[in-house]
Amino acid sequence: MPPWFLEKACLQDLLERLRDRGYAVIGPTISQEAICYDEIHTIDELPRGWTDVQQAGRYRLQRRADESLFGYVVGPHSWKRYLFPPQATLMTADRTDGGWSMQAPVEVPPRYAFLGVRACELAAIRIQDKVFLEGPYVDLVYQARRERCFVVAVNCTQAASTCFCTSMNTGPRCQAGFDLALTELPTGFLVECGSDAGSELLASLPVREPSAEELTAAESAREQAVHQIQRLMDTTNIREDLLTNLNHPRWQEAGERCLSCTNCTMVCPTCFCSSVNEVADLGADHVRRERVWDSCFNLDFSTMNGTPVRNNVASRYRQWLTHKLASWHDQFGSSGCVGCGRCITWCPVGIDLTEEVAAIRGDVR
Amino acid sequence: MNQTASLDLPLPACNPWLAHSVTIDRITPEVAGVSTYHLRFVDPEAARNYRFRPGQFNMLYLPGVGESAISLSADPRGHVTWAHTVRTAGNVTQTLAKLGVGGSLGLRGPFGSCWPLDQAMGKDLILVAGGIGLPPLRPVIYEIAARRDEFASVAVLYGARTPDTLLYQAEYDAWRKAGIDLHLTADMSGAGWNGAVGVVPLLLDRLPLADAARTQVWMCGPEVMLKYTVKSALRRGIPAGNLWLSMERNMQCAIGLCGHCQLGPEFVCRNGPVFPWNRMAPYLDVKGL
Ligand SMILES: Cc1cc2nc3c(=O)[nH]c(=O)nc-3n(C[C@H](O)[C@H](O)[C@H](O)COP(=O)(O)OP(=O)(O)OC[C@H]3O[C@@H](n4cnc5c(N)ncnc54)[C@H](O)[C@@H]3O)c2cc1C
Ligand code: SF4
Ligand code: SF4
């Protein structure tokens, strides 16, 4: 289907048509000096005229010379916090005369419309779909949110120094997995449609056919992102190279720099580890089992019989990296990394997984 | 996936997180700190439908405290109560130990892989267990006792720290009568003990083998025990492909979604706990994996 054109001023219509359909629109906003995803009501809440500058261990917002609404790359949030919420109730238990009565939680799952999903993030959602929906057990919390969500992707027109989606074959062009995909130009958006729900919504918007100039401008804006990507990760044979080097000295060396702070796992759009907590009322007669995000960097994560299996930082860093880049292939048929660069940016000591991989593989060749 | 038509789908009925309510029908004290809890489903339909395969486990849930992975130590042909033999360790198991007969708790399962009984038919079978590693093999023993003719020789090699911590002593006669060759050992001797002294793999070193190539060895116990049992088996000429082991890792979900039980590429809860040794071999010797 050929793309359409939506004038900039009409983006508010897109928000309203989504809200008419019962969606809570989640989009980029500025919060705590970063671009974070939150519910938005008007396009004035978007980070108009701001961009992010990223490097290993560093993230900073900066004014742009123009008024772009989506002129940034990715921030510390990812959409996983909406599809796989940091806290979710799995079950409740109530004490009755006949013993404990266990119930599934009753919830009206939220209907989210995501505005501003990048190509690497579409890939990350696809990866979490495989984890949560396509294995022998389906995660009902994820499924309820995922089936009801509407995805408005936005093509990148620039890249950060930390991006390596081209190495992971996930971007920067949005190819699939969206309902609508936008490319931002100074005067408006080129709109592509990726689903029936997308075309239904599109039909309610004041779009027109784009001019030849607009089509070319969108193409070169997208090309600009490709050209800006500097970082590379060679993924040839990466699974074997990592899994046959579990005793490589580099793990120890990385373990000495890593603070085991869990930042990388929290910002990663595909990391899915969790733990379950018991939340009880004072009398302990009504209990909720609550699932919370956890991280393989936490010492307790691997505790068995009172002793952690991964009892040093090096073993935990190795677990994270080998899971992400190697054993994910065995488990889910793809890499667990989409090349978004978040773990590089948000690591307080600037550990860069592409460098760690290169170091380990350097000795292998 | 993204269709307006499907916005208000009903949630699927099957929820792997939802525990069944069960009550403690009977408690068999085994040895110090270990008891067998015979659990009965409250819901008649759950009771009717429950089945498991030897080697599988349940998540036992003590509301307000937490869940623990516990193997079924029951007779798979049973159908009223389901035995779980539990060693008191931390919070969950201590709370369980304080519940008496009639106590209420949650159970979800069964989960995980099972011992390859089908592959063992007509073959010599050796079960090797250390300490609390015997309960996950007891369903196999029940099954073999019921179908003894279908297997060639069957030996159980079992060891514990001291003679008085050997589990299921009251059943040994019945096992022997059923044609199971039982060998016991204790790491340390004790009063009245005239069995072997030493670690379990030594029992395997000494066991006569009719035909190593068609002998299966299934083992469960501490990882060091598994390691030395494997060494002994390989030394005795038993093919690597005939060795199976049951693994243990921290588990929160039992359905391969929480990430805790990973060991190399495996989710121990979902791909295991029973694995062919071949699949574990590359990872067992790596420290801190
Ligand atoms: C597949 C499998 C089968 C098992 N079968 C049995 C059995 O038949 N009998 C028996 O006595 N024990 C068995 N265990 C071990 C049992 O799960 C732990 O001893 C128990 O979870 C300890 O819980 P706790 O709360 O009392 O101890 P804590 O030390 O307070 O543990 C807190 C939590 O950590 C986790 N955890 C701690 N230790 C283990 C562990 N070894 N394995 C898995 N999770 C752990 C659990 O979620 C536990 O609730 C089995 C473990 C696994 C993985
Ligand atoms: S591992 Fe790092 S670069 Fe890869 S998807 Fe996760 S956060 Fe992004
Ligand atoms: S690699 Fe960096 S972000 Fe990840 S746990 Fe270590 S210090 Fe934290």
Side-chain angles (χ1 to χ4, degrees):
Chain A
M1 213 195 295
W4 297 86
F5 194 85
L6 183 73
E7 301 292 341
K8 204 143 225 183
C10 298
L11 188 66
Q12 182 66 31
D13 291 275
L14 172 67
L15 248 75
E16 277 160 23
R17 295 299 81 77
L18 286 166
R19 288 161 56 77
D20 293 345
R21 284 162 178 73
Y23 290 106
V25 180
I26 313 292
T29 62
I30 292 181
S31 162
Q32 293 172 15
E33 293 174 55
I35 290 169
C36 293
Y37 300 148
D38 208 338
E39 180 159 8
I40 58 168
H41 299 88
T42 83
I43 59 168
D44 296 335
E45 293 167 82
L46 297 172
R48 184 193 305 271
W50 287 97
T51 192
D52 47 9
V53 183
Q54 307 191 38
Q55 65 195 64
R58 218 175 142 163
Y59 176 97
R60 167 164 67 78
L61 290 182
Q62 201 174 66
R63 282 302 324 183
R64 295 176 62 91
D66 62 22
E67 294 288 290
S68 287
L69 296 172
F70 298 96
Y72 58 89
V73 182
V74 287
H77 281 182
S78 71
W79 308 99
K80 89 171 174 186
R81 73 172 37 245
Y82 294 96
L83 295 173
F84 169 55
Q87 281 191 334
T89 300
L90 299 171
M91 196 189 89
T92 57
D94 301 285
R95 202 194 289 276
T96 68
D97 291 342
W100 287 100
S101 159
M102 263 59 85
Q103 306 292 334
V106 190
E107 73 156 4
V108 182
R111 292 164 58 177
Y112 293 126
F114 300 145
L115 175 61
V117 182
R118 302 300 189 183
C120 61
E121 300 185 302
L122 294 172
I125 293 173
R126 176 76 201 106
I127 286 174
Q128 287 211 324
D129 283 352
K130 278 195 232 164
V131 173
F132 288 127
L133 303 177
E134 294 169 23
Y137 294 95
V138 166
D139 188 83
L140 301 180
V141 174
Y142 184 90
Q143 185 186 45
R145 285 157 180 72
R146 179 72 176 101
E147 283 178 341
R148 288 163 175 79
C149 80
F150 189 98
V151 175
V152 184
V154 175
N155 280 300
C156 287
T157 53
Q158 66 182 66
S161 80
T162 42
C163 294
F164 58 105
C165 60
T166 40
S167 294
M168 304 315 287
N169 275 322
T170 59
R173 181 82 160 96
C174 297
Q175 309 274 9
F178 54 80
D179 295 298
L180 294 176
L182 315 181
T183 304
E184 185 171 18
L185 294 176
T187 55
F189 299 92
L190 214 70
V191 188
E192 291 161 274
C193 184
S195 73
D196 292 347
S199 30
E200 189 273 330
L201 193 94
L202 195 63
S204 71
L205 292 174
V207 287
R208 60 166 171 81
E209 274 183 37
S211 66
E213 293 73 46
E214 284 161 345
L215 285 172
T216 321
E219 189 54 48
S220 59
R222 289 188 300 253
E223 271 308 300
Q224 183 168 291
V226 180
H227 293 311
Q228 286 180 6
I229 294 170
Q230 299 293 319
R231 191 174 295 272
L232 287 174
M233 184 154 79
D234 179 5
T235 60
T236 344
N237 219 28
I238 191 166
R239 181 197 170 275
E240 284 68 28
D241 282 356
L242 291 179
L243 291 185
T244 55
N245 275 289
L246 296 170
N247 290 316
H248 196 286
R250 183 73 182 199
W251 299 118
Q252 205 54 50
E253 200 269 324
E256 279 157 26
R257 282 175 287 138
C258 170
L259 310 175
S260 212
C261 70
T262 79
N263 269 14
C264 48
T265 52
M266 297 293 117
V267 296
C268 177
T270 68
C271 275
F272 60 85
C273 288
S274 63
S275 279
V276 183
N277 294 333
E278 300 290 308
V279 186
D281 67 350
L282 274 180
D285 291 336
H286 304 284
V287 180
R288 213 156 32 87
R289 304 208 75 215
E290 189 178 77
R291 175 172 71 190
V292 294
W293 287 0
D294 200 350
S295 167
C296 55
F297 282 96
N298 284 328
L299 186 58
D300 275 355
F301 189 82
S302 63
T303 293
M304 258 205 328
N305 308 320
T307 319
V309 172
R310 296 183 203 109
N311 57 3
N312 56 54
V313 179
S315 65
R316 300 201 285 281
Y317 186 79
R318 178 181 66 190
Q319 169 59 23
W320 181 65
L321 201 73
T322 53
H323 183 217
K324 199 101 287 196
L325 299 174
S327 45
W328 210 291
H329 286 278
D330 300 69
Q331 298 170 348
F332 305 108
S334 76
S335 176
C337 173
V338 298
C340 72
R342 283 181 178 89
C343 56
I344 305 173
T345 299
W346 296 94
C347 175
V349 291
I351 296 177
D352 169 351
L353 81 170
T354 63
E355 247 171 49
E356 299 311 311
V357 167
I360 287 164
R361 290 157 59 95
D363 291 4
V364 175
R365 292 289 141 90
Chain B
M1 189 61 51
N2 305 308
Q3 285 186 358
T4 30
S6 59
L7 279 174
D8 287 303
L9 300 168
L11 292 179
C14 152
N15 181 345
W17 283 106
L18 186 60
H20 289 284
S21 184
V22 295
T23 52
I24 303 174
D25 199 65
R26 197 156 45 89
I27 301 175
T28 315
E30 302 287 354
V31 300
V34 182
S35 290
T36 298
Y37 302 84
H38 304 265
L39 305 179
R40 182 195 285 270
F41 286 90
V42 172
D43 172 27
E45 184 163 331
R48 220 175 12 254
N49 295 336
Y50 192 82
R51 296 283 180 284
F52 80 97
R53 288 162 186 272
Q56 288 192 298
F57 66 96
N58 285 319
M59 294 302 278
L60 298 190
Y61 174 46
L62 280 301
V65 187
E67 272 189 336
S68 276
I70 302 291
S71 305
L72 283 127
S73 63
D75 184 345
R77 286 149 195 265
H79 51 267
V80 182
T81 64
W82 303 97
H84 297 75
T85 304
V86 184
R87 184 177 64 89
T88 305
N91 283 338
V92 172
T93 50
Q94 279 169 19
T95 309
L96 176 64
K98 285 185 206 134
L99 290 182
V101 169
S104 166
L105 62 150
L107 179 157
R108 55 188 184 97
F111 296 114
S113 60
C114 54
W115 298 108
L117 272 161
D118 293 344
Q119 293 190 23
M121 294 212 287
K123 305 208 171 116
D124 294 323
L125 180 58
I126 305 173
L127 309 181
V128 185
I132 192 74
L134 187 57
L137 282 163
R138 190 167 70 159
V140 176
I141 299 176
Y142 284 126
E143 191 63 21
I144 288 169
R147 301 161 44 187
R148 183 64 189 84
D149 299 348
E150 295 173 35
F151 304 88
S153 74
V154 178
V156 172
L157 314 182
Y158 179 44
R161 198 154 299 164
T162 55
D164 58 346
T165 55
L166 288 163
L167 291 170
Y168 310 135
Q169 298 192 28
E171 294 172 39
Y172 295 168
D173 279 346
W175 296 355
R176 288 190 168 114
K177 273 203 204 95
I180 291 168
D181 182 22
L182 177 64
H183 297 262
L184 302 169
T185 186
D187 294 355
M188 288 173 283
S189 190
W193 178 248
N194 44 32
V197 175
V199 293
V200 197
L202 294 175
L203 294 178
L204 182 56
D205 287 344
R206 296 197 286 258
L207 190 77
L209 302 181
D211 180 355
R214 26 152 262 183
T215 300
Q216 290 261 329
V217 181
W218 301 352
M219 55 200 119
C220 183
E223 273 176 46
V224 274
M225 185 213 94
L226 301 178
K227 212 163 115 178
Y228 285 100
T229 305
V230 166
K231 275 199 179 138
S232 169
L234 295 175
R235 213 166 39 229
R236 299 294 305 278
I238 300 172
N242 292 7
L243 310 180
W244 294 74
L245 38 79
S246 182
M247 295 297 298
E248 192 180 353
R249 280 295 178 271
N250 184 304
M251 286 179 191
Q252 303 273 307
C253 74
I255 53 178
L257 296 179
C258 77
H260 285 258
C261 71
Q262 288 179 78
L263 176 52
E266 309 289 355
F267 289 107
V268 173
C269 71
R270 198 183 84 189
N271 308 341
V274 178
F275 288 100
W277 175 72
N278 279 337
R279 239 167 103 175
M280 281 289 118
Y283 310 110
L284 277 182
D285 281 338
V286 183
K287 267 183 78 187
L289 198 65

